[in-house]
Amino acid sequence: MAEVRLINNLKGILYFLDTPLMDFEIKDRELIKATDLSQGKLYPWELAKLGVSYGSILKFFQRRTIREGCMFYREHLRALGMDKMDFDLYIKKNNGNNHLDNYWVKFDDFGARKFSDL
């Protein structure tokens, strides 16, 4: 059975390198705050083309995570200290970064404080 990957509650600032792009908050699977900090510059594809919505933010993060069934999937989760996928926690543990580009999320109470900390 495929995992359902939905963002339940997540609050942070989306960055490109050290440039803040958007201050956002998702609560109970609803985008309740999305403040543009860069006039839409440097937005990832999903936000630039689809607009800023819960759905486009969800697509952005879904694209950035290891897929269920991939080689070393369970080992990857264990390396993060997780027994099973908790999508909100997974995003936090990775700072929303997938190591293939320079987007990441700064959280108030968790993880890296700047890009060079990743």
Side-chain angles (χ1 to χ4, degrees):
M1 175 186 278
E3 294 171 339
V4 176
R5 294 189 182 185
L6 298 173
I7 300 170
N8 295 303
N9 298 290
L10 200 62
K11 177 182 177 182
I13 299 175
L14 176 65
Y15 278 79
F16 180 82
L17 293 173
D18 290 321
T19 303
L21 304 179
M22 182 179 60
D23 185 4
F24 72 95
E25 183 175 358
I26 293 170
K27 187 173 184 180
D28 299 325
R29 297 184 185 172
E30 182 179 337
L31 181 63
I32 63 169
K33 178 174 113 178
T35 305
D36 184 347
L37 303 174
S38 74
Q39 294 79 46
K41 296 177 185 170
L42 303 173
Y43 269 16
W45 178 87
E46 292 85 353
L47 303 179
K49 297 296 180 192
L50 302 175
V52 176
S53 67
Y54 172 80
S56 62
I57 292 172
L58 179 63
K59 282 185 181 293
F60 171 72
F61 285 114
Q62 286 174 336
R63 181 176 58 84
R64 308 176 71 71
T65 59
I66 191 169
R67 300 207 192 293
E68 181 182 16
C70 286
M71 186 184 310
F72 304 118
Y73 175 75
R74 293 279 172 223
E75 291 82 356
H76 177 74
L77 290 180
R78 279 196 295 273
L80 292 171
M82 300 170 65
D83 294 328
K84 61 183 170 79
M85 177 60 79
D86 175 332
F87 200 46
D88 293 0
L89 181 60
Y90 184 91
I91 294 167
K92 281 186 150 186
K93 285 186 175 260
N94 283 321
N95 281 96
N97 182 267
N98 72 355
H99 308 292
L100 297 175
D101 61 30
N102 296 315
Y103 294 106
W104 66 287
V105 177
K106 179 179 177 182
F107 299 103
D108 290 340
D109 59 350
F110 201 94
R113 309 310 314 155
K114 56 185 178 178
F115 187 73
S116 61
D117 290 345
L118 293 177

